[in-house]
């Protein structure tokens, strides 16, 4: 089962829509909804997909991470050597 961490403020309607889309596609996943300012390092480490900005230094600990979708213009802080260098696309 994939873990999708949504580190953004979301309401019940938005959360239900995410779940509905997953159900329609028969996706084997679980959602973790939290806000950027309260997300934990453990949540980041367990996530396969992260939607939102989390602390860049926590990305290195995420062995399961397949996709990181940021809500910022730049990703430089997330791509510094030692954070995710060995998994970076186009290295």
């Amino acid at each position: 089962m994939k873990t999708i961490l949504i580190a953004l403020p979301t309401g019940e309607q938005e959360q239900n829509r995410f779940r509905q889309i997953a159900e329609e596609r028969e996706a084997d996943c679980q959602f973790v909804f939290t806000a950027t300012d309260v997300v934990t390092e453990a949540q980041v480490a367990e996530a396969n997909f992260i939607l939102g900005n989390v602390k860049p230094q926590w990305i290195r600990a995420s062995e399961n991470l397949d996709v990181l979708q940021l809500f910022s213009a730049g990703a430089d802080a997330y791509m510094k050597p030692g954070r995710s260098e060995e998994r970076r696309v186009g290295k």
Side-chain angles (χ1 to χ4, degrees):
M1 177 181 293
K2 299 285 186 175
T3 299
I4 301 171
L5 174 62
I6 302 187
L8 299 167
T10 55
E12 187 176 337
Q13 184 177 13
E14 293 164 312
Q15 292 175 12
N16 288 337
R17 182 65 180 134
F18 277 112
R19 290 183 186 105
Q20 178 186 5
I21 291 168
E23 186 177 310
E24 288 170 358
R25 288 165 177 73
E26 298 178 6
D28 185 22
C29 64
Q30 66 177 352
F31 290 94
V32 176
F33 296 97
T34 188
T36 303
D37 58 342
V38 295
V39 66
T40 67
E41 187 172 2
Q43 289 171 322
V44 171
E46 293 186 15
N48 300 98
F49 182 101
I50 298 173
L51 178 62
N53 292 29
V54 297
K55 292 183 179 180
Q57 62 268 28
W58 290 353
I59 297 299
R60 179 98 172 135
S62 184
E63 296 292 326
N64 302 319
L65 187 63
D66 295 322
V67 176
L68 174 63
Q69 176 64 54
L70 301 174
F71 273 67
S72 61
D76 292 350
Y78 294 86
M79 300 310 295
K80 289 182 180 175
R83 294 223 173 105
S84 57
E85 187 70 23
E86 69 279 359
R87 295 175 56 176
R88 184 174 70 184
V89 174
K91 70 174 190 175

